[in-house]
């Protein structure tokens, strides 16, 4: 690719990473992954999907999908069949919320906006064949809203693209009581022209509150929308601002 562009390999690598947000090798892995997923969706055997994606065997495909999608080829091919997701509903000052866990960690946290059934349907869209099991006793209820000094210690099992993961990781760096615009978040990710893409990734955040997507607002100062209702976003921000003001006064 560098030769085709009449660039040195080092400069081509830096240029590609600056504009795409990932290296050429990572992008190639993404393309392989997408091709393999298309094969699996077509019910192709795992080994055949591996070869079609240019991989040497099923082991390489396993590593690729676990890295990019946090699932094994078999789990993806079965659309979650054989995968058990435990869930519980919990009340909080912000409203009732649903938490869903796989055997690897918390994979969904969202508020009930219409009905419990609708909340479960939304949470299960990624894996329609997965088995959802109510487990109010085994799952420890999360405490919301989160205390300002409470670190995120809950293991997470997130399905998303590398770019989405970068955005979600960046959200964790926004302190309680502070706000960030979509443009500033894009700048922090070295993607100054990707504010719209960042906004899409923020909106796709599957773990509300703990991954604080509510702290991102529009450049004009408008708080903007929120997956679980703009009123709830305002309430979250108000509580955090109050706690931050009280801490500052105490200092």
């Amino acid at each position: 690719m560098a030769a085709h562009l009449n660039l040195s390999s080092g400069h081509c690598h830096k240029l590609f990473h600056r504009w795409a947000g990932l290296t050429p090798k990572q992008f190639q892995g993404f393309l392989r992954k997408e091709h393999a997923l298309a094969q699996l969706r077509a019910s192709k055997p795992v080994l055949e999907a591996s070869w079609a994606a240019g991989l040497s065997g099923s082991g390489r495909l396993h590593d690729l999908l676990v890295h990019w999608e946090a699932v094994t080829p078999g789990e993806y091919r079965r659309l979650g069949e054989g995968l058990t997701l435990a869930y519980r509903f919990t009340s909080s000052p912000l409203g009732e919320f649903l938490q869903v866990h796989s055997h690897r960690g918390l994979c969904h946290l969202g508020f009930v906006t219409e009905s419990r059934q609708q909340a479960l349907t939304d949470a299960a869209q990624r894996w329609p064949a997965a088995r959802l099991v109510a487990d109010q006793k085994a799952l420890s209820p999360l405490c919301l809203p989160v205390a300002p000094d409470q670190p995120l210690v809950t293991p997470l099992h997130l399905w998303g693209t590398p770019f989405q993961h970068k955005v979600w990781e960046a959200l964790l760096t926004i302190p309680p009581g502070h706000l960030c615009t979509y443009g500033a978040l894009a700048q922090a990710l070295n993607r100054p022209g990707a504010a719209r893409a960042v906004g899409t990734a923020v909106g796709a955040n599957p773990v509300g509150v703990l991954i604080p997507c509510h702290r991102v607002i529009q450049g004009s100062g408008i708080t903007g929308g929120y997956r679980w209702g703009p009123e709830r976003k305002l309430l979250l921000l108000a509580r955090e601002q109050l706690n931050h003001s009280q801490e500052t006064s105490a200092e």
Side-chain angles (χ1 to χ4, degrees):
M1 182 171 63
H4 179 74
L5 297 172
N6 293 319
L7 298 172
S8 68
S9 58
H11 182 59
C12 181
H13 184 279
K14 291 179 181 178
L15 193 64
F16 191 96
H17 186 270
R18 186 198 313 165
W19 283 94
L22 68 171
T23 67
K25 184 176 181 179
Q26 290 172 328
F27 183 62
Q28 185 183 51
F30 175 80
L31 294 178
R32 289 183 187 276
K33 183 265 297 185
E34 287 295 299
H35 188 65
L37 292 183
Q39 297 291 310
L40 294 174
R41 286 194 295 269
S43 300
K44 299 291 184 181
V46 173
L47 185 58
E48 185 176 330
S50 304
W51 290 339
L55 300 171
S56 58
S58 55
R60 290 286 306 280
L61 180 58
H62 179 279
D63 294 343
L64 188 69
L65 290 194
V66 167
H67 173 72
W68 286 82
E69 296 283 333
V71 293
T72 66
E75 288 172 341
Y76 187 89
R77 183 172 181 268
R78 295 190 298 269
L79 296 176
E81 184 181 352
L83 179 67
T84 298
L85 299 176
Y87 71 89
R88 69 168 291 150
F89 289 95
T90 305
S91 298
S92 82
L94 300 170
E96 187 177 40
F97 65 89
L98 167 69
Q99 61 186 84
V100 182
H101 296 250
S102 73
H103 60 288
R104 298 191 181 104
L106 177 68
C107 57
H108 178 86
L109 192 156
F111 292 97
V112 177
T113 56
E114 297 181 21
S115 66
R116 285 187 169 189
Q117 185 56 50
Q118 185 59 50
L120 283 171
T121 300
D122 294 342
Q125 281 182 350
R126 177 69 186 245
W127 306 111
R131 179 169 169 258
L132 283 167
V133 178
D135 204 340
Q136 295 286 116
K137 294 182 179 179
L139 292 180
S140 299
L142 295 171
C143 182
L144 297 181
V146 182
D149 58 348
Q150 179 180 331
L152 178 59
V153 295
T154 304
L156 299 177
H157 182 195
L158 305 179
W159 297 300
T161 67
F163 179 73
Q164 287 176 324
H165 278 263
K166 284 185 178 181
V167 172
W168 299 338
E169 288 171 6
L171 292 174
L172 293 171
T173 67
I174 307 173
H178 293 74
L179 302 176
C180 180
T181 66
Y182 295 103
L185 195 60
Q187 287 278 3
L189 293 167
N190 294 319
R191 298 290 300 280
R196 187 178 296 273
V198 165
T200 301
V202 169
N205 170 31
V207 178
V209 184
L210 297 186
I211 299 179
C213 56
H214 60 278
R215 295 175 191 156
V216 185
I217 64 172
Q218 296 178 15
S220 62
I222 297 174
T223 55
Y226 188 53
R227 184 174 175 182
W228 296 286
E231 297 84 3
R232 187 172 279 115
K233 181 175 184 175
L234 287 172
L235 179 58
L236 278 164
L237 293 176
R239 291 180 68 107
E240 291 181 348
Q241 289 285 347
L242 177 61
N243 289 331
H244 180 65
S245 299
Q246 291 173 342
E247 289 177 355
T248 303
S249 300
E251 293 174 358

